[in-house]
C-alpha cells in the first residue's frame, strides 16, 4: 500500500519558555495543526516529532481520520518546551496546516504542510528593522541524510549582502535563522533570500511586528513559474490593504507585470504595475497610496513575466485601530492548479473565530465552482454547499459568518470543485475579530 508523507514546521513551540529564535521580542510561541484526509477511506496516520538536534522527544503517535474529514491536534502531544518540526505519514492522501500563536492571543499565523522539499528555496520577503518588522524562519531537512544548508541574503537598497552557513540539519529536524540579531544586515534591511542545500529542504517564514503587533507567516517556494495567481488583493477595505512581494527565482533579469482582476467592491479599475528584477531579487507593491488613494478594491491579480520564473506572497494588513492585524499567503502557480481544492480548517462561531474562503478561476474559460463542507466535528449543523460562476482571472468570497451561519457552530473542512475541468485555486482566512491581539491567519488551499 502506498504511503503518503507530509512535513510540518511547527515554528518555535514553547508553551512556557521563551523560544530561543525570538527571545529578543519576548514572545512565547505555541502551535497546533489540522490534518485532513483527502482519500476515500479512513486514513491511518503516524505523527513523528523532531527536536532541532534530530532526536525525537516522544514515541511516534498513531491515529485514524475518517474519509473526507479532518482532525485537530491542539495541544500537541509533546511536553511544554518542545521546539521543532513534524512529519506525518498516512496510508491515504493527507494535507495539513499549522497555526502558530505568540503570546496568545497577541500574535497568530498559519502555514501549510509540504509534500516534498527541494535543494533551492526562494524566500521573497526577509526583513530587519522595517517599520518595526523582523523575520525569522525555520528550515527543515526533508531528505534522508544530514543536510548542509546555506542562506544567501539578496542585497537590499543599501547594497549589503550576507551569506549564512553552512549549517548541518539532521533528517526530519529544523534549524532557526533569526534576522533580528543579524547586525551585519544593517539597521534596516528589506530583501529576499535563497536557501540552498545538498539535501531536499523546506522552509517557513514568520514576519513579526514590534511596532504593529502582528505576525504574518508564509512558506518558502520550491521552484517558480512564469505566471502567478493571487486570489485576494485589497485596498481601502474597511481599513485592510494588501502588499505583494515578487521574487525572480530565475538566473537572468526579467520584467514582471501585475494585472489586477475585476473589482468586486466598486468601479475603480487599477492600472498594471511593472518592474524589472535581477536574478533572485524581489520588489514590493503596496495597495495603498498612489493610484489606490481612497479607492476601494477587492479582487484578484495575475503576475506575468518576460521569461524567468517568479514567486510571490501577499500580505494582508490592517494597521489602524486598537488592534492591528496581519496575515500572509503564498501565490499560486496556475500550471499546477486542478479542478479540486481542499481547505482543512473551516470555522463558524468557534470561540469567536470564523473563516472566509476566496476561490479564483485560473483557467482560460468560465467555470462554476461549488464548495462542499465536510462533517461538523463541533456540532450538528450541516452547512449547504456554496456556488458561483467565475470568469477567467476572477474570484469569489464565501464567508462563514452571518446569514445562515448565525448562531451555528461549525468546525470542519471544505472541498471546492470546478465544472468542466476548470482550474481553480483558493485561500482561507481565519479571523477572531473581537480578540485583543492579532488573531488573523491565512493558508493556501491544496489542489488534489
Amino acid at each position: 500500500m502506498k504511503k503518503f508523507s507530509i512535513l510540518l514546521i511547527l515554528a518555535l513551540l514553547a508553551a512556557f519558555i521563551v523560544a530561543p529564535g525570538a527571545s529578543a521580542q519576548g514572545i512565547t510561541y505555541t502551535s497546533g495543526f489540522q490534518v485532513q484526509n483527502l482519500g476515500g477511506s479512513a486514513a491511518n496516520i503516524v505523527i513523528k516529532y523532531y527536536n532541532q538536534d534530530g532526536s525525537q522527544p516522544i514515541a511516534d503517535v498513531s491515529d485514524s481520520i475518517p474519509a473526507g474529514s479532518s482532525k485537530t491536534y491542539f495541544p500537541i502531544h509533546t511536553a511544554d518546551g518542545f521546539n521543532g518540526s513534524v512529519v506525518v505519514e498516512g496510508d491515504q492522501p493527507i494535507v495539513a496546516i499549522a497555526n502558530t500563536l505568540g503570546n496568545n492571543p497577541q500574535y497568530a499565523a498559519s502555514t501549510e504542510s509540504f509534500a516534498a522539499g527541494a535543494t533551492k528555496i526562494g524566500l521573497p520577503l526577509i526583513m530587519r528593522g522595517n517599520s518595526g518588522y523582523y523575520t525569522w524562519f525555520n528550515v527543515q531537512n526533508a531528505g534522508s541524510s544530514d543536510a548542509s544548508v546555506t542562506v544567501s541574503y539578496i542585497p537590499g537598497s543599501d547594497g549589503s549582502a550576507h551569506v549564512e552557513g553552512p549549517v548541518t540539519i539532521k533528517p526530519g529536524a529544523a534549524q532557526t535563522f533569526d534576522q533580528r540579531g543579524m547586525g551585519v544586515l544593517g539597521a534596516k534591511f528589506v530583501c529576499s533570500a535563497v536557501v540552498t542545500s545538498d539535501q531536499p529542504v523546506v522552509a517557513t517564514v514568520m514576519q513579526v511586528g514590534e511596532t504593529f503587533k502582528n505576525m504574518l507567516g508564509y512558506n518558502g517556494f520550491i521552484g517558480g513559474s512564469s505566471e502567478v495567481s493571487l486570489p485576494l488583493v485589497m485596498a481601502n477595505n474597511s481599513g485592510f490593504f494588501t502588499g505583494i512581494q515578487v521574487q525572480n527565482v530565475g538566473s537572468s533579469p526579467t520584467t514582471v507585470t501585475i494585472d489586477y482582476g475585476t473589482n468586486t467592491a466598486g468601479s475603480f479599475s487599477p492600472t498594471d504595475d511593472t518592474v524589472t528584477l535581477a536574478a533572485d531579487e524581489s520588489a514590493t507593491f503596496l495597495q495603498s497610496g498612489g493610484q489606490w488613494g481612497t479607492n476601494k478594491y477587492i479582487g484578484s491579480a495575475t503576475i506575468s513575466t518576460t521569461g524567468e520564473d517568479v514567486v510571490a506572497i501577499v500580505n494582508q494588513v490592517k494597521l489602524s485601530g486598537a488592534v492591528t492585524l496581519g496575515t500572509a499567503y503564498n501565490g499560486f502557480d496556475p500550471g499546477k492548479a486542478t479542478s479540486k481544492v481542499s481547505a482543512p480548517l473551516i470555522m463558524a462561531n468557534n470561540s469567536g473565530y470564523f473563516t472566509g474562503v476566496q476561490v479564483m478561476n485560473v483557467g482560460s474559460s468560465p467555470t462554476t465552482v461549488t464548495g462542499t463542507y465536510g462533517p461538523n466535528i463541533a456540532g450538528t449543523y450541516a452547512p449547504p454547499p456554496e456556488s458561483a460562476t467565475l470568469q477567467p482571472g476572477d474570484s469569489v468570497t464565501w464567508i462563514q459568518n452571518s446569514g445562515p451561519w448565525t448562531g451555528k457552530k461549525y468546525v470542519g473542512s471544505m472541498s471546492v470543485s470546478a465544472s468542466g475541468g476548470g482550474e481553480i485555486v483558493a485561500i482561507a482566512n481565519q479571523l477572531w475579530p473581537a480578540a485583543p491581539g492579532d488573531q488573523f491567519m491565512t493558508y493556501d488551499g491544496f489542489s488534489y
Side-chain angles (χ1 to χ4, degrees), residues 105-412:
Q106 181 60 67
Y107 299 92
S110 187
T111 52
E112 308 82 32
S113 62
F114 299 86
T119 55
K120 179 181 178 180
I121 304 294
L123 307 179
L125 182 56
I126 298 297
M127 297 179 287
R128 184 177 192 272
N130 182 29
S131 298
Y133 281 94
Y134 297 82
T135 53
W136 56 264
F137 58 89
N138 273 16
V139 177
Q140 184 181 9
N141 182 356
S144 56
S145 302
D146 288 2
S148 180
V149 175
T150 300
V151 180
S152 299
Y153 297 92
I154 308 308
S157 58
D158 63 355
S160 62
H162 184 70
V163 176
E164 190 174 9
V167 174
T168 299
I169 304 176
K170 296 291 184 181
Q175 174 71 36
T176 302
F177 298 83
D178 184 6
Q179 288 70 62
R180 196 184 194 287
M182 293 179 64
V184 68
L185 296 180
K188 180 178 181 179
F189 196 60
V190 184
C191 65
S192 55
V194 174
V195 179
T196 55
S197 171
D198 59 357
Q199 289 286 310
V201 294
V202 296
T204 291
V205 180
M206 294 294 165
Q207 310 167 61
V208 182
E210 295 185 1
T211 303
F212 302 106
K213 294 189 178 300
N214 49 40
M215 184 166 70
L216 306 83
Y218 72 89
N219 279 344
F221 288 86
I222 300 170
S225 54
S226 59
E227 187 173 300
V228 177
S229 301
L230 309 177
L232 180 57
V233 176
M234 299 180 288
N236 298 298
N237 181 27
S238 300
F240 287 91
F241 67 93
T242 49
I244 301 170
Q245 190 83 9
V246 185
Q247 181 184 17
N248 174 10
V249 294
S251 57
S252 303
T254 194
T255 299
V256 174
T257 300
I258 302 179
D259 178 20
Y260 298 95
T262 301
N263 187 356
T264 63
S267 59
F268 170 64
S269 180
T271 59
D272 294 352
D273 281 316
T274 303
V275 70
T276 298
L277 297 175
D280 295 326
E281 185 183 14
S282 65
T284 305
F285 301 88
L286 295 176
Q287 285 70 60
S288 64
Q291 67 164 321
W292 305 94
T294 59
N295 295 306
K296 184 174 182 178
Y297 177 83
I298 304 175
S300 55
T302 301
I303 301 173
S304 58
T305 77
T306 54
E308 293 295 312
D309 287 347
V310 297
V311 297
I313 65 167
V314 176
N315 285 341
Q316 308 172 64
V317 294
K318 183 180 181 182
L319 303 181
S320 59
V323 176
T324 59
L325 303 174
T327 186
Y329 71 87
N330 287 46
F332 296 85
D333 175 1
K336 296 180 180 178
T338 66
S339 61
K340 291 185 178 180
V341 175
S342 72
L345 179 57
I346 300 296
M347 299 177 287
N349 299 298
N350 182 30
S351 299
Y353 284 97
F354 67 90
T355 49
V357 178
Q358 192 92 6
V359 183
M360 182 180 180
N361 177 8
V362 299
S364 57
S365 303
T367 188
T368 298
V369 294
T370 302
T372 304
Y373 295 95
N376 186 353
I377 63 176
T380 59
Y381 176 61
E386 311 273 9
S387 184
T389 298
L390 299 177
Q391 297 299 314
D394 287 349
S395 58
V396 64
T397 302
W398 296 322
I399 299 178
Q400 289 73 51
N401 188 33
S402 71
W405 299 93
T406 302
K408 308 288 199 316
K409 184 174 183 178
Y410 177 82
V411 180

Side-chain angles (χ1 to χ4, degrees), residues 70-128:
S70 60
K71 185 169 287 190
T72 300
Y73 299 93
F74 183 79
I76 60 172
H77 304 91
T78 57
D80 297 336
F82 172 69
N83 178 358
S85 52
V86 164
V87 175
V88 184
E89 298 175 349
D91 58 5
Q92 293 289 312
I94 51 175
V95 293
I97 63 168
N99 284 343
T100 301
L101 307 175
N103 290 354
N104 190 22
Q106 181 60 67
Y107 299 92
S110 187
T111 52
E112 308 82 32
S113 62
F114 299 86
T119 55
K120 179 181 178 180
I121 304 294
L123 307 179
L125 182 56
I126 298 297
M127 297 179 287
R128 184 177 192 272

Side-chain angles (χ1 to χ4, degrees), residues 22-58:
S23 59
Q25 292 101 318
I27 300 173
T28 299
Y29 291 96
T30 189
S31 293
F33 58 98
Q34 185 111 1
V35 181
Q36 183 181 14
N37 175 10
L38 302 180
S41 58
N44 298 302
I45 67 170
V46 177
I47 304 171
K48 302 174 180 286
Y49 291 89
Y50 292 90
N51 294 316
Q52 290 209 353
D53 63 4
S55 63
Q56 292 189 253
I58 62 172

